Amino acid sequence: MSPDASGAAPHIEAPEARVVVFELAVAPEAAATLLRHPALAGRRLGQARSAEATVVFHDTAEGALAAEGLALAVEPRGRGAVQRLLRGLPGEDARVEPARPPAALAQTRLSRPGPDAASLVGLIPKSAEGMPLPAAAAAAGRRHTLRLAGGMTVTLFAGQLRAVAAERDIARLTLAVPEQSLAEGLDLLRALAADRPVTVPAASLAEEARAVALGVPPRPLWRGPPDLTGAATVEDGARRAIGQLTLALLAAAPVAEEGSNPEGVHQARVAIRRLRSALTLFRPAIGCAAVTELKDRLGTLARALGPARDWDVFIAGALGEIVAAFPQEPALASLARAAEAARESAYAEVRATLAAPFFRLLTLDLAAAVAAPPWRGGDAAEAAVLRDTPLEDFAAAALNRRYKRLMRAGEGFAQLDIPALHRLRIQAKRMRYAGELFGGLYGAKKRRRFQKAVGAVQDALGHLNDTAVAAGLMRTLAKREPGRAWAAGVVQGWVAAKAAHAREDAAEAWETFAERAPFWDG
């Protein structure tokens, strides 16, 4: 079987064993030499087959299919074509798996090259039925297919995405692997990603084609918090959460790497925290050495992104306010320039981290955990039973544990010292992420009120934490140039004054939260 450039896999002819297909993005400049990688050379069976390939993506003039997360891909075959209706974005069940090609909702062999709208009635939005489906963009290039030992087939498509007003180079690698060879196939992908810019894609190829046609950024497969509303069992919930949040991390990474928008690093760090929280919450069911290692590697990534986020918050917040209040003070202006230089240095570390094999392998291993769960082998029978239990029962117990820990941490709020308030902030953050993870299983109104209340506690206590962060940043700048001591002192005094009000805000937020009933009770 050799998957094609649309992300579908038309060339497998009814295999006896189940075949799993992976799809990875390849930096176009690396495509020419990828099939000569030693990991492939040692497994290849014969020479690669190469042929021209074109996949044309169709939609209505108003983009009715894309608006519903659909894509219509037509690949010419001789005098006819193969037409596939693909799901380029998750459907209502929110099921999405990283490094997997989009699901084909329908496939039709056509006697002519153009699309057949009549065969799509009932599958496409009403607004698209009976409407013309002109070509919006095309993926055109060459498809190279190589058979490998173990029944595997690797296919590399390299070419361009073309639209009326724009085009760009593109390369995608697909690996079709029999289920019994899944571990070997994943090891092969790891070997490629360790040496070459081969990554888990954040968007489908059809979506990237749409983006080229419209001159807009592609919509990622996932962003934001997880949605487990369609999950029935504990394991299904864990796999969905890991898959969705891995894609959210991948969606944020290019913005973080570019560096001009602070939201990139911020959203990447949020995705990391959500992932680590999900791995912890699901630990009774999926805990194993591989999952622990993934959590540790996510922690390493978070620490690499942390300084850039600290400088972003400080420069846009306290430092910006102070410079605006004293615009003629040269010492503060000098401090601001030094802070910007420190921020750029921190972003250099962000770019280096996200471009390194470390990040490619981490996201690939997270995708592998969804496709081939590492917790299934050799674990306790109790965990295996737990994985098959209803998710709602598991979620309620996990939420109760988090809630009790939070309430214990906030006892006697008025007498809590700074370290105790810091511990309370951590518990509030954990409660907030647990509520996000499992919240879709419960009523929206009570959940929103509860989450807003716990978020207010976390945010207010976060302002208190800003004092310690600002002090550390000022010490960093003062070490580089002792003459900045006066300006650094002004900044620390400003932040400390704001922190005094923050404690009052935190007390009020805690009182409001303590009155909220847990949304999962009744």
Side-chain angles (χ1 to χ4, degrees):
M1 173 176 189
S2 55
D4 68 13
S6 73
H11 303 307
I12 293 184
E13 300 298 338
E16 293 183 4
R18 178 173 177 265
V19 172
V20 182
V21 181
F22 297 97
E23 180 182 54
L24 298 180
V26 180
E29 64 273 13
T33 62
L34 187 62
L35 293 185
R36 297 198 295 271
H37 190 281
L40 293 172
R43 294 177 170 89
R44 65 190 302 155
L45 300 175
Q47 297 298 312
R49 292 184 288 111
S50 180
E52 292 185 359
T54 300
V55 178
V56 183
F57 298 97
H58 296 259
D59 203 344
T60 67
E62 294 77 21
L65 299 183
E68 297 296 324
L70 301 174
L72 182 62
V74 178
E75 181 180 359
R77 297 276 183 83
R79 296 181 179 179
V82 174
Q83 170 181 279
R84 295 181 187 83
L85 182 65
L86 305 172
R87 176 153 291 290
L89 293 175
E92 291 183 358
D93 69 350
R95 182 177 290 280
V96 60
E97 295 187 23
R100 302 295 299 278
L105 303 180
Q107 177 171 311
T108 309
R109 289 193 175 273
L110 307 178
S111 58
R112 56 185 179 81
D116 177 19
S119 66
L120 301 173
V121 173
L123 297 173
I124 60 176
K126 292 289 185 182
S127 58
E129 290 184 357
M131 298 294 292
L133 295 169
R142 295 193 71 82
R143 180 183 296 130
H144 311 274
T145 304
L146 181 62
R147 292 176 58 243
L148 304 176
M152 297 184 288
T153 301
V154 65
T155 301
L156 175 66
F157 172 84
Q160 294 80 39
L161 285 176
R162 297 171 180 169
V164 173
E167 69 175 44
R168 71 177 180 85
D169 293 338
I170 189 76
R172 291 275 172 133
L173 178 84
T174 52
L175 176 69
V177 53
E179 196 168 41
Q180 65 268 24
S181 301
L182 193 52
E184 182 182 357
L186 290 170
D187 284 343
L188 172 59
L189 294 179
R190 291 185 184 101
L192 297 177
D195 295 336
R196 301 286 194 275
V198 177
T199 62
V200 178
S204 67
L205 186 59
E207 178 58 30
E208 293 199 29
R210 168 188 170 274
V212 168
L214 298 180
V216 299
R219 296 172 297 179
L221 285 161
W222 197 271
R223 59 158 55 98
D227 180 1
L228 306 187
T229 53
T233 67
V234 172
E235 183 177 58
D236 189 19
R239 294 175 70 185
R240 289 189 189 216
I242 295 169
Q244 291 167 2
L245 292 173
T246 298
L247 288 166
L249 173 58
L250 286 161
V255 184
E257 198 169 0
E258 195 275 331
S260 64
N261 185 349
E263 276 298 295
V265 163
H266 175 53
Q267 291 304 324
R269 280 168 50 82
V270 169
I272 293 167
R273 289 199 296 265
R274 285 170 171 156
L275 260 168
R276 284 171 54 84
S277 178
L279 294 179
T280 298
L281 286 161
F282 281 111
R283 184 167 53 197
I286 68 171
C288 64
V291 170
T292 299
E293 183 189 17
L294 284 172
K295 186 178 176 183
D296 290 343
R297 290 161 68 188
L298 286 165
T300 299
L301 178 60
R303 287 189 291 275
L305 305 185
R309 177 58 181 168
D310 289 343
W311 285 113
D312 279 340
V313 171
F314 176 64
I315 290 170
L319 185 59
E321 295 171 358
I322 296 167
V323 171
F326 302 98
Q328 305 303 320
E329 179 51 60
L332 290 173
S334 174
L335 187 70
R337 290 192 295 272
E340 287 288 354
R343 176 189 179 277
E344 180 52 39
S345 178
Y347 266 90
E349 175 65 20
V350 169
R351 286 188 285 273
T353 299
L354 296 179
F358 169 82
F359 183 68
R360 298 196 298 269
L361 289 169
L362 170 59
T363 51
L364 179 57
D365 283 341
L366 287 163
V370 178
W375 51 78
R376 287 184 179 173
D379 58 355
E382 183 180 353
V385 171
L386 183 59
R387 289 196 291 271
D388 289 332
T389 60
L391 179 59
E392 286 193 25
D393 296 344
F394 178 88
L399 289 165
N400 274 325
R401 287 194 298 271
R402 285 284 170 95
Y403 182 70
K404 289 175 181 178
R405 290 171 187 168
L406 175 58
M407 297 307 291
R408 282 198 301 268
E411 288 178 357
F413 184 94
Q415 284 73 47
L416 296 180
D417 57 15
I418 293 298
L421 290 172
H422 176 69
R423 291 191 292 272
L424 177 60
R425 181 178 67 86
I426 297 300
Q427 292 297 334
K429 179 171 65 176
R430 290 172 177 170
M431 181 76 256
R432 189 177 188 177
Y433 286 140
E436 282 184 343
L437 180 65
F438 297 124
L441 305 175
Y442 301 92
K445 188 173 182 180
K446 283 181 65 179
R447 182 184 77 243
R448 283 196 298 267
R449 289 177 177 175
F450 182 92
Q451 289 293 94
K452 182 178 180 180
V454 74
V457 173
Q458 180 189 346
D459 293 343
L461 292 172
H463 293 316
L464 284 172
N465 190 57
D466 288 345
T467 304
V469 173
L473 297 179
M474 289 303 94
R475 283 194 296 271
T476 298
L477 296 182
K479 285 179 182 178
R480 298 175 184 174
E481 188 175 322
R484 296 194 182 107
W486 177 83
V490 171
V491 171
Q492 292 186 37
W494 183 284
V495 175
K498 293 190 70 174
H501 295 290
R503 177 155 190 146
E504 296 176 7
D505 294 341
E508 183 177 341
W510 177 256
E511 184 177 348
T512 299
F513 168 74
E515 295 174 353
R516 290 280 180 220
F519 62 81
W520 58 92
D521 282 352

